[in-house]
Amino acid sequence: METYPLVGIEELDVDHRTLGAVVERLMEAIKDDDPPLAAAYAEALLVQAAEHCAHEQRLMREIGYPALARHRRAHERFLATAREMLAEVRDRGLTAAFLRWVAQSHEWLRSHVITEDLWLAQAIEKARTRTQEKRALRT
């Protein structure tokens, strides 16, 4: 079962599977009451999320996505909070604030995928279809 729903653009779905796997490992580390491992997975989540956000933003620029600014702001807010929570778990361990953030992050990522990323995927698909149609007309 997929952690996050598929959006139909393989490169984004791969990113989402990777993020989902990191979140699952992070939650396992919390269940095992292992603050150092939780910190390592929180850092991995931050790195993977930053790479995914940069990937999406490149795609948005390529297709002239009209909601790029809004989508980028959502990414920036998530990443800023992730950086704060990484410092939290490193400095103070599995605090209530960190645990709450992990639960909220899982839900935020799911919501983000089924709204923002799904809309983006639809726009990418339309742009790619237009490009293919233009190429077909040239030949």
Side-chain angles (χ1 to χ4, degrees), residues 19-72:
L19 285 166
V22 173
V23 169
E24 287 175 5
R25 289 184 189 110
L26 174 54
M27 290 190 291
E28 288 171 15
I30 290 168
K31 288 177 191 172
D32 292 341
D33 195 27
D34 190 338
L37 189 57
Y41 283 123
E43 181 176 9
L45 178 59
L46 175 58
V47 169
Q48 290 295 321
E51 288 175 5
H52 172 64
C53 293
H55 180 202
E56 282 189 353
Q57 289 170 31
R58 277 191 308 275
L59 291 171
M60 287 187 272
R61 283 190 302 274
E62 286 173 12
I63 66 167
Y65 190 58
L68 184 144
R70 183 193 68 230
H71 201 134
R72 184 178 51 231

Side-chain angles (χ1 to χ4, degrees), residues 1-137:
M1 184 174 139
E2 297 286 333
T3 301
Y4 304 116
L6 299 175
V7 298
I9 301 292
E10 183 60 23
E11 60 200 272
L12 296 181
D13 289 335
V14 167
D15 284 358
H16 295 153
R17 281 192 287 276
T18 301
L19 285 166
V22 173
V23 169
E24 287 175 5
R25 289 184 189 110
L26 174 54
M27 290 190 291
E28 288 171 15
I30 290 168
K31 288 177 191 172
D32 292 341
D33 195 27
D34 190 338
L37 189 57
Y41 283 123
E43 181 176 9
L45 178 59
L46 175 58
V47 169
Q48 290 295 321
E51 288 175 5
H52 172 64
C53 293
H55 180 202
E56 282 189 353
Q57 289 170 31
R58 277 191 308 275
L59 291 171
M60 287 187 272
R61 283 190 302 274
E62 286 173 12
I63 66 167
Y65 190 58
L68 184 144
R70 183 193 68 230
H71 201 134
R72 184 178 51 231
R73 281 191 303 274
H75 289 165
E76 289 168 353
R77 284 190 301 269
F78 179 83
L79 294 172
T81 304
R83 285 188 288 276
E84 290 173 17
M85 289 297 103
L86 176 57
E88 173 87 10
V89 70
R90 284 179 174 161
D91 294 344
R92 300 182 58 218
L94 301 177
T95 64
F98 177 76
L99 298 176
R100 194 169 34 256
W101 173 76
V102 170
Q104 290 169 345
S105 291
H106 176 61
E107 290 308 314
W108 183 88
L109 286 164
R110 176 178 276 296
S111 174
H112 185 77
V113 168
I114 62 175
T115 57
E116 294 291 340
D117 288 356
L118 187 57
W119 295 329
L120 173 58
Q122 290 170 350
I124 291 168
E125 186 61 35
K126 283 182 185 177
R128 288 179 178 172
T129 299
R130 280 192 305 268
T131 300
Q132 290 171 350
E133 290 170 350
K134 287 178 184 177
R135 284 184 189 144
L137 290 173

